[in-house]
Amino acid sequence: MGTPRDEETQPLVSPREESPHKQKMSASGEPPKVHPFIAGLYCAFNIIVAACIVFANKLVFQHYNFKFVFALTWIHTIFTWVGMNVLAWRGFFVPKKIPVMKLIPIALGYVGYIVLCNVSLNINTVGFYQIMKIAIAPTVVVMEFFMFNKLPSKLMICSVVVVCVGITAATVTDRVAISNMWGLVVGVAATLVTALYQIWAGSKQRELQANSSQLLQAYTPHAVWLLGILVPIFEPIGWTDPGPNTLLGYQYTYEAVGAIVLSAILGILVSLSTFLVIGATSSLTYNIVGHLKTVIILTGGVMMFGDSMPLKRFMGICVAMMGIFWYTHLLMVQQPAAPPVIKSISPMNNQSKDKEGRDGSA
């Protein structure tokens, strides 16, 4: 897996993974022609919805006091399942049948990392949550070294060190994060589990010969029923005593329900906009857009949710961002060129084979 993910409900799209639409046009012998203005709109759309889903989730947790993380994750996963099927129906990718027994472990891993990320967002500030997301990329590099003895280049190691120094500086100067020990533990755990899941998902994609979108569309129905089992186990349902702190006793105002549904719809829009950006531009552009999303989310945490931003913390975040830019540049430089695509992919032809490759990556 290569780069960090920004959102929980979007497909695990690697910067090395080409869009089916881009492949289809390339197979016809003509390079994809998207007007720069349209490509810019796609990028702006992706930035807006990717940042808004974080803000919407935090709003649901903090403003509307909907603290039921498993239930919210379940709702999001249902919307993601429906959305991915709609995208497949519209020809954004070709679905692939995968044996159920091979999908259930992936669904379990998906549920684990999604729930931890949402718990982290629930009990931490938006800024600390996003800093922990930045930490996923260097965590993957370190894990791959210990798990597979995969030694990165010296420059890659240097970039990871820069990211870690920046994250450490930004964290130790965050009084809220340091005083919230439980939030710190959950944030670190979410980073570790997400990195493990991304590495594992990458190996499963190679094993099953399925791209990220095919895999997500295949395992989300299993994640739905797994979460359906976990919700009554971990959430206070209120079967006998539906108090205000239970799912049945929660005050479902029009505003609260609207915010919950909006956050779920934004997850689908993140998936759609990711397809559009990669299909209309390049993997480099997608990575740059990802960094812009990080800046916007950190800024939004300060402006919308009152996150503190003292100078030392700001400098730490700047150092971390410099390191992640460097890391992304090195990652892009060392990527091999994608092999030419021979067959086009048509949503009208169920016999078409998806030629997308994926090494394993919000």
Side-chain angles (χ1 to χ4, degrees):
M1 93 111 267
T3 57
R5 219 48 83 255
D6 291 315
E7 293 69 48
E8 284 68 50
T9 54
Q10 78 179 86
L12 300 176
V13 179
S14 165
R16 278 171 287 231
E17 185 171 289
E18 295 293 338
S19 162
H21 288 302
K22 178 178 282 190
Q23 287 189 349
K24 184 165 88 171
M25 288 190 294
S26 298
S28 67
E30 298 180 4
K33 296 179 180 179
V34 178
H35 194 280
F37 178 74
I38 301 299
L41 287 180
Y42 289 162
C43 291
F45 178 44
N46 181 255
I47 291 171
I48 291 170
V49 296
C52 283
I53 190 175
V54 176
F55 301 147
N57 286 345
K58 188 64 176 178
L59 193 69
V60 169
F61 289 137
Q62 183 171 302
H63 182 73
Y64 293 105
N65 204 35
F66 190 84
K67 303 292 186 179
F68 312 108
V69 174
F70 281 87
L72 184 65
T73 306
W74 183 51
I75 295 169
H76 282 193
T77 306
I78 292 173
F79 272 73
T80 299
W81 177 29
V82 173
M84 292 304 292
N85 279 285
V86 171
L87 290 175
W89 173 60
R90 295 300 301 167
F92 282 87
F93 66 95
V94 179
K96 181 171 183 176
K97 290 185 178 296
I98 300 174
V100 173
M101 295 309 296
K102 293 187 176 181
L103 290 172
I104 292 178
I106 306 174
L108 281 168
Y110 170 85
V111 169
Y113 101 83
I114 288 284
V115 168
L116 274 173
C117 286
N118 281 338
V119 171
S120 177
L121 182 59
N122 181 23
I123 64 179
N124 288 310
T125 63
V126 172
F128 180 74
Y129 164 82
Q130 195 63 28
I131 288 171
M132 289 295 97
K133 301 288 281 187
I134 297 173
I136 293 173
T139 302
V140 167
V141 173
V142 174
M143 283 185 170
E144 286 185 334
F145 171 72
F146 286 105
M147 293 170 63
F148 308 113
N149 200 28
K150 183 178 178 181
L151 185 64
S153 66
K154 291 182 180 179
L155 288 177
M156 186 75 77
I157 293 174
C158 289
S159 69
V160 168
V161 170
V162 172
V163 175
C164 293
V165 168
I167 290 173
T168 302
T171 303
V172 299
T173 55
D174 187 345
R175 295 180 180 178
V176 176
I178 294 300
S179 62
N180 183 10
M181 187 54 63
W182 174 237
L184 187 62
V185 170
V186 171
V188 172
T191 299
L192 293 174
V193 172
T194 302
L196 276 172
Y197 173 76
Q198 290 181 1
I199 294 171
W200 186 47
S203 65
K204 284 297 179 182
Q205 286 179 32
R206 291 189 294 271
E207 175 188 331
L208 300 173
Q209 296 183 336
N211 67 32
S212 60
S213 304
Q214 291 172 325
L215 200 59
L216 180 61
Q217 189 258 354
Y219 68 63
T220 42
H222 304 289
V224 167
W225 65 257
L226 283 170
L227 282 163
I229 294 173
L230 294 175
V231 167
I233 295 175
F234 291 97
E235 305 281 33
I237 303 297
W239 297 114
T240 57
D241 183 21
N245 294 322
T246 65
L247 272 170
L248 294 179
Y250 177 79
Q251 296 297 316
Y252 291 96
T253 63
Y254 288 116
E255 292 81 3
V257 172
I260 293 170
V261 172
L262 176 62
S263 68
I265 292 175
L266 283 169
I268 301 172
L269 295 180
V270 167
S271 300
L272 173 61
S273 63
T274 299
F275 282 119
L276 294 175
V277 170
I278 295 180
T281 59
S282 66
S283 54
L284 176 60
T285 302
Y286 178 73
N287 275 271
I288 294 173
V289 166
H291 300 323
L292 291 175
K293 287 183 281 190
T294 297
V295 173
I296 291 174
I297 291 170
L298 289 169
T299 304
V302 175
M303 298 181 65
M304 297 173 61
F305 299 99
D307 291 4
S308 63
M309 188 61 71
L311 180 60
K312 290 182 180 179
R313 184 166 183 246
F314 176 75
M315 293 303 295
I317 292 174
C318 289
V319 171
M321 290 301 298
M322 289 172 58
I324 206 71
F325 267 106
W326 189 14
Y327 170 87
T328 303
H329 171 72
L330 295 173
L331 194 67
M332 299 298 300
V333 168
Q334 72 180 23
Q335 287 175 14
V341 179
I342 299 176
K343 280 190 178 182
S344 65
I345 297 175
S346 171
M348 303 302 294
N349 183 4
N350 291 331
Q351 301 300 319
S352 297
K353 292 186 178 180
D354 194 334
K355 299 290 184 179
E356 289 185 58
R358 159 111 178 110
D359 75 335
S361 175

